Amino acid sequence: MRNSEASKERILEAAMAEFSAYGIAGARVDRIAKAAGCNKNLIYIYFESKEKLFTTVLEKNLVRVYQELAFASQDLASYAGRLFDFAIANPDLMRLLAWSNLEQAATSSNERVTSRDAKIAELQKAQETGQIAETFTPDFLLTAIMTLATGWTAANPFGLLHDPQATKHPAALRKDLEKAVRLLTAHTSEDS
Amino acid sequence: MRNSEASKERILEAAMAEFSAYGIAGARVDRIAKAAGCNKNLIYIYFESKEKLFTTVLEKNLVRVYQELAFASQDLASYAGRLFDFAIANPDLMRLLAWSNLEQAATSSNERVTSRDAKIAELQKAQETGQIAETFTPDFLLTAIMTLATGWTAANPFGLLHDPQATKHPAALRKDLEKAVRLLTAHTSEDS
DNA sequence: ACAAACTAACTATCTGGTTAGTTATAACCT
DNA sequence: AGGTTATAACTAACCAGATAGTTAGTTTGT
């Protein structure tokens, strides 16, 4: 047989590039087919519609995040650092996330909500056991850490607000990021 | 005359709503015309093209940010708080910014770059005079503050990562945000 | 009468999705 | 081994609706 799995894979790769560059509305199925070196109809046979192809690409790549990045409430600085590295290493995925957020407002997959709830619970526990300070609510902490760690990607609403060269030498940024997270989670003299 | 200025205004308002909802590629000129209650051709007479209409809408609304939000390197916590309030009060503009960032990668207006450079310079000076700590580079501080302050808007790449109800009672978030900025800029015991 | 403000109808092109058909491969039969 | 067949993999050509942008003309105030 003329390998169908390989074809699917090529389509998914081409779709990733296309969607990350143009979003759902801006993506062109013809362009994806051409880049994948296959007939457009194959896309519809394998993935049903443009929108479903998008969510397939997103889910597939999002799995990697959950697998590669274990949340660690006892060492949030390291988690933030790893998330930062991942974001810098995968700008396409960050763009995909941003597109999804803007274009698929309604769709908030159960998986993501569950994952969020678990993180919040972990943070709460870490605060109760004194591993991290109670300076901030778990809710604030989570969003703060996530946005800080991904603030240097294309997903930043202010775009290239940051020095475009900054991400070429990410080591310094990462150090500062970890320092910042440590500050936000450290016990202070005012603590009871 | 049948007021042309008012028509332009109505078009700009309708365009704001349309672009913020669907982005450039997803926006429909017909829909904008209908919402503005005018003929589609008027849009092309007044604004030349869909893309130019978008940038016009963006620039017009961005001016408000620069006018209403004076950067204050000597009180960054307050600046962050005001930026947060503004972002919460103007979700459409935040979305517009996000779209612009994704869809117009190349276009980075001089105004924005200049404004950034000015802020960096101010931060540097504030550090030299000891107004804020030198714990972080001005570059890191600026991006950190901007992303933190806008992390609870639709512009967040992780979408409704945060509790959807959180932004309904923003006062608590704002307090935490200001506290966080104070932590990041405060002199610590380790300082020389 | 004149020009600015506005409109209805049109067009060329694009685009997601479909149809109808072809080619390669493996299993089966003799 | 050679021929037959079923089917999975793939393709070229097509279509209907949508869409940015245009044209040619009408209304309205002065």
Side-chain angles (χ1 to χ4, degrees):
Chain A
M1 288 286 143
R2 302 164 250 150
N3 201 338
S4 76
E5 285 309 313
S7 295
K8 278 187 199 177
E9 203 51 50
R10 268 175 12 246
I11 291 171
L12 285 172
E13 258 172 57
M16 175 71 173
E18 179 76 10
F19 283 127
S20 114
Y22 303 103
I24 302 174
R28 296 294 164 246
V29 180
D30 284 312
R31 221 150 40 191
I32 295 174
K34 196 176 175 186
C38 78
N39 189 276
K40 179 167 63 154
N41 188 233
L42 267 197
I43 292 176
Y44 288 94
I45 290 172
Y46 292 146
F47 300 101
E48 210 165 330
S49 71
K50 187 165 94 159
E51 198 117 353
K52 286 212 175 159
L53 176 58
F54 178 86
T55 51
T56 305
V57 171
L58 181 64
E59 301 280 299
K60 183 197 160 201
N61 284 277
L62 228 39
V63 165
R64 277 174 42 222
V65 186
Y66 292 121
Q67 284 178 342
E68 294 179 26
L69 291 172
F71 188 67
S73 60
Q74 75 287 351
D75 189 359
L76 288 169
S78 137
Y79 174 72
R82 282 179 289 122
L83 178 54
F84 172 82
D85 286 345
F86 185 91
I88 294 286
N90 297 277
D92 283 6
L93 179 50
M94 287 299 118
R95 285 180 62 90
L96 216 62
L97 259 176
W99 288 115
S100 159
N101 183 35
L102 284 172
E103 299 191 281
Q104 307 189 300
T107 313
S108 57
S109 79
N110 281 355
E111 210 171 344
R112 277 204 256 173
V113 176
T114 310
S115 144
R116 192 199 96 94
D117 289 349
K119 290 189 182 98
I120 292 286
E122 253 194 74
L123 285 176
Q124 203 145 26
K125 203 167 186 180
Q127 286 189 329
E128 280 163 12
T129 59
Q131 287 183 295
I132 61 176
E134 291 182 306
T135 321
F136 302 100
T137 64
D139 233 78
F140 178 88
L141 261 185
L142 183 58
T143 302
I145 290 170
M146 303 294 272
T147 50
L148 273 180
T150 57
W152 282 264
T153 68
N156 188 316
F158 291 93
L160 296 177
L161 169 101
H162 54 266
D163 183 357
Q165 299 203 306
T167 50
K168 289 187 179 167
H169 307 288
L173 280 177
R174 190 196 146 114
K175 277 243 153 113
D176 273 0
L177 170 66
E178 289 173 346
K179 206 195 294 177
V181 173
R182 250 178 268 119
L183 265 179
L184 296 180
T185 53
H187 291 274
T188 65
S189 45
E190 300 135 41
D191 285 4
S192 62
Chain B
M1 288 283 140
R2 299 161 254 155
N3 203 337
S4 76
E5 284 308 311
S7 294
K8 277 188 199 175
E9 203 51 49
R10 268 175 11 247
I11 291 170
L12 284 171
E13 257 172 58
M16 175 70 173
E18 178 76 11
F19 283 126
S20 115
Y22 304 103
I24 303 175
R28 296 295 164 246
V29 179
D30 284 311
R31 222 150 40 191
I32 295 174
K34 195 176 175 185
C38 76
N39 189 274
K40 179 166 63 152
N41 187 233
L42 267 196
I43 293 175
Y44 287 94
I45 289 171
Y46 293 146
F47 301 101
E48 209 165 331
S49 72
K50 186 165 93 157
E51 199 117 354
K52 286 210 174 159
L53 176 57
F54 177 87
T55 51
T56 304
V57 171
L58 181 63
E59 301 280 299
K60 181 197 160 198
N61 284 277
L62 228 40
V63 165
R64 277 174 43 221
V65 186
Y66 291 121
Q67 285 179 343
E68 295 180 26
L69 292 172
F71 188 67
S73 60
Q74 76 285 353
D75 190 357
L76 287 169
S78 139
Y79 175 72
R82 282 179 288 124
L83 178 53
F84 172 82
D85 286 344
F86 185 90
I88 295 286
N90 298 277
D92 282 6
L93 180 50
M94 287 299 117
R95 285 180 63 90
L96 215 62
L97 258 176
W99 286 117
S100 159
N101 184 34
L102 285 172
E103 299 191 283
Q104 306 189 300
T107 312
S108 56
S109 79
N110 280 355
E111 213 172 342
R112 278 206 258 174
V113 175
T114 310
S115 143
R116 191 199 96 94
D117 288 349
K119 291 188 182 96
I120 292 286
E122 255 195 71
L123 285 175
Q124 204 144 25
K125 202 165 186 182
Q127 286 188 329
E128 281 163 11
T129 59
Q131 289 183 295
I132 61 176
E134 292 182 305
T135 322
F136 301 101
T137 64
D139 233 77
F140 177 88
L141 262 186
L142 183 58
T143 302
I145 290 171
M146 301 295 272
T147 51
L148 273 180
T150 58
W152 281 265
T153 70
N156 189 316
F158 290 93
L160 296 177
L161 167 101
H162 54 267
D163 183 355
Q165 299 204 303
T167 50
K168 288 187 181 170
H169 307 288
L173 281 178
R174 191 196 145 112
K175 278 243 153 113
D176 272 1
L177 170 65
E178 289 173 346
K179 205 195 294 177
V181 173
R182 251 179 266 122
L183 266 178
L184 296 180
T185 54
H187 292 274
T188 67
S189 46
E190 300 135 39
D191 284 5
S192 62

